[in-house]
Amino acid sequence: MDKIKMTTPLVEMDGDEMTRILWQWIKDILITPYIDLRTEYYDLGLKHREETKDQVTIDSAEATKKYGVAVKCATITPNAARVEEYGLSEMWKSPNGTIRAALDGTVFRTPILVKGITPYIPTWTKPITIARHAYGDVYKNTEMRVAGGSKAELVVTDKDGKETRQLIHNFKGDGVIQGLHNLDASISGFARACFQYALDLKQDLWFASKDTISKIYDHRFKDIFAEIYEAEFKEKFEAAGIEFFYTLIDDAVARVIRSEGGYIWACKNYDGDVMSDMVSTAYGSLAMMTSVLVSPSGVYEFEAAHGTVQRHYYKYLKGEETSTNSVATIFAWSGALRKRGELDGIPALCDFADKLEAATIGTIEDGIMTGDLYLLSKLENKRKVDSRTFLEEINTRLSAKLR
Ligand code: NAP
Ligand code: MG
């Protein structure tokens, strides 16, 4: 079989620890035997981020804007322990945060369903995708403690120096206050990314907030979604046979639990943070989630939702056997290759991505799986394999599909 040719390179963002090992194995075992892989390579491993004073992260985000599709390995977000371990000159920022800020993106996370692993909510037979707004609200807050006897006010000074004041509270006893904000531009970008992604997936879009209580703040989100939908997406949604609806967050939660899945749930920043943890736990495992960052201009960055699996890496370094789940990283590659195929008109690339995903799911459904899934799976003939054997078993099925 001739290798599949690519016309535009993928932006490849390499990472750290166990996922960096898996990254190379996935390429060697599952990708380069079949594809004449073209990538523009950026090493986001912590050592190289230090060497470049983190410039490599910024460069990789710029390259993503230029080419349109990136695939990213999990990376270490340094803390004090990592500063010591890697002799860092600075506690570099989270690469995901840097890339998200550069692309102004929304992150979409979808569980990968396999037979034998039942969600805790048994009616969820289709995946629920969470779209989380990644700017503002409590994540950019300013807050303080207030002593009893104080008056707290909201003061806004406009560009001409004119002040508008609003009473927050007259504190009789001690208490706390918090100042939040968001931006119309960021909310609009979030809304567009959600509408665009719903069209890509041909799935309904739900958006929920607390506009009955927050009549200006949350209501602004509701209005922006409604305006953009009417002006830019309504006809496209109708043509695709999908629906957008807004509801109160309380109602959304009740509907989600009763649903069968199969839609996108757009959440404000805090709601998305906690609801995505709830949804991913209910479906089984972070290693069985796809994660993609979509910018309002239609740039895509595919990644795994889990971290660098440090504990397994130290076992690997000692020469011990590991059984690390590579599914989310494989799906990052298949997602990126499929998107490249769609954008460049290379159906063979899309077909390869479909078969790689099917071979991966097929392997697990045949009972061959890594340790994390072995604990969850209800299959009777299940067998736990090491990290590399799992990839080789996928390849056995992939090569048969491509023959
Ligand atoms: P983690 O790497 O997600 O791993 C936490 C634990 O979850 C592991 O020890 C393992 O449990 C289990 N696990 C996670 N992924 C797994 C997989 N693919 N296969 C099997 N088991 C898996 O989180 P962490 O240990 O808190 O963080 C490690 C590093 O990752 C940190 O430096 C953090 O900054 C970084 N991080 C990066 C990203 C990203 O780039 N997207 C996201 C989160 C964290 P057992 O040990 O019990 O087997
Ligand atoms: Mg969280």
Side-chain angles (χ1 to χ4, degrees):
M1 187 194 115
D2 283 344
K3 287 193 190 183
I4 300 165
K5 298 263 184 299
M6 296 174 64
T7 50
T8 316
L10 279 177
V11 177
E12 176 183 354
M13 303 170 173
D14 207 344
D16 287 298
E17 300 195 311
M18 198 59 209
T19 42
R20 187 182 180 97
I21 305 296
L22 297 177
W23 192 259
Q24 191 61 48
W25 289 351
I26 290 168
K27 286 198 326 185
D28 291 347
I29 299 170
L30 296 174
I31 297 183
T32 52
Y34 307 104
I35 295 178
D36 235 342
L37 186 64
R38 290 187 59 187
T39 72
E40 196 164 291
Y41 180 83
Y42 292 86
D43 182 0
L44 302 196
L46 187 50
K47 186 166 168 284
H48 194 241
R49 273 183 275 151
E50 168 68 20
E51 286 160 1
T52 61
K53 303 284 173 224
D54 209 24
Q55 186 61 36
V56 65
T57 308
I58 295 160
D59 292 345
S60 72
E62 288 308 314
T64 306
K65 285 189 202 163
K66 177 174 164 195
Y67 292 111
V69 186
V71 56
K72 181 181 172 291
C73 181
T75 47
I76 291 169
T77 299
N79 55 13
R82 299 298 199 165
V83 170
E84 187 155 331
E85 184 184 354
Y86 284 82
L88 302 181
S89 57
E90 242 181 75
M91 202 185 282
W92 304 110
K93 282 191 221 148
S94 151
N96 292 323
T98 302
I99 294 163
R100 207 174 290 158
L103 302 182
D104 185 20
T106 300
V107 179
F108 296 87
R109 293 202 163 157
T110 309
I112 300 160
L113 304 191
V114 291
K115 267 194 229 98
I117 298 177
T118 325
Y120 287 99
I121 312 280
T123 52
W124 287 359
T125 53
K126 297 177 196 162
I128 297 170
T129 297
I130 299 261
R132 172 184 169 189
H133 186 209
Y135 178 85
D137 303 350
V138 74
Y139 302 86
K140 286 259 183 217
N141 79 344
T142 168
E143 52 185 27
M144 37 172 131
R145 290 178 63 172
V146 178
S150 308
K151 175 166 95 171
E153 286 179 297
L154 209 52
V155 182
V156 176
T157 312
D158 75 12
K159 60 183 187 313
D160 304 320
K162 188 172 153 279
E163 281 186 0
T164 309
R165 281 171 183 270
Q166 214 165 290
L167 178 71
I168 296 172
H169 193 66
N170 274 316
F171 283 83
K172 290 200 178 71
D174 296 351
V176 282
I177 58 169
Q178 188 173 58
L180 309 184
H181 80 277
N182 221 301
L183 304 170
D184 284 8
S186 177
I187 303 166
S188 303
F190 170 52
R192 287 198 177 90
C194 291
F195 289 128
Q196 192 54 52
Y197 200 67
L199 285 171
D200 278 5
L201 256 57
K202 291 208 171 24
Q203 286 186 356
D204 290 349
L205 176 68
W206 303 14
F207 177 55
S209 74
K210 193 72 180 175
D211 65 293
T212 46
I213 299 297
S214 174
K215 289 184 175 17
I216 294 178
Y217 197 106
D218 276 20
H219 213 283
R220 188 76 197 119
F221 281 76
K222 179 183 178 181
D223 286 346
I224 287 176
F225 265 77
E227 283 159 21
I228 291 177
Y229 178 68
E230 286 297 324
E232 300 170 31
F233 288 97
K234 192 167 192 272
E235 282 169 22
K236 292 178 191 160
F237 267 53
E238 283 167 3
I242 58 175
E243 197 188 347
F244 162 64
F245 75 89
Y246 176 86
T247 183
L248 208 56
I249 185 89
D250 327 41
D251 177 50
V253 169
R255 285 185 195 226
V256 164
I257 296 296
R258 287 194 307 261
S259 78
E260 57 172 22
Y263 51 85
I264 299 164
W265 182 13
C267 293
K268 285 181 63 201
N269 210 347
Y270 176 81
D271 299 338
D273 186 352
V274 289
M275 291 304 167
S276 67
D277 280 341
M278 187 193 73
V279 168
S280 64
T281 305
Y283 276 106
S285 151
L286 265 193
M288 297 296 287
M289 294 280 272
T290 64
S291 180
V292 56
L293 177 74
V294 183
S295 86
S297 60
V299 164
Y300 294 75
E301 184 240 323
F302 294 84
E303 54 167 16
H306 58 77
T308 59
V309 212
Q310 182 181 20
R311 208 179 62 81
H312 295 207
Y313 181 58
Y314 287 134
K315 278 176 72 180
Y316 166 83
L317 287 182
K318 283 194 265 173
E320 291 171 26
E321 197 172 89
T322 61
S323 186
T324 316
N325 189 333
S326 47
V327 171
T329 308
I330 294 169
F331 273 63
W333 275 99
S334 59
L337 290 167
R338 180 185 295 108
K339 185 50 78 180
R340 204 58 277 166
E342 285 168 14
L343 294 174
D344 295 346
I346 308 173
L349 216 46
C350 302
D351 178 63
F352 174 83
D354 292 345
K355 287 178 173 153
L356 175 56
E357 291 177 1
T360 303
I361 290 173
T363 303
I364 300 167
E365 294 187 342
D366 284 347
I368 298 162
M369 58 194 82
T370 48
D372 56 327
L373 298 184
Y374 184 81
L375 295 174
L376 297 173
S377 175
K378 297 196 173 65
L379 293 183
E380 275 171 16
N381 61 343
K382 62 182 177 177
R383 177 157 70 88
K384 176 181 160 178
V385 293
D386 65 83
S387 309
R388 201 172 165 107
T389 304
F390 181 62
L391 295 173
E392 281 158 359
E393 288 283 350
I394 294 172
N395 186 43
T396 304
R397 289 159 183 79
L398 175 63
S399 63
K401 284 180 195 294
L402 288 167
R403 217 176 278 130

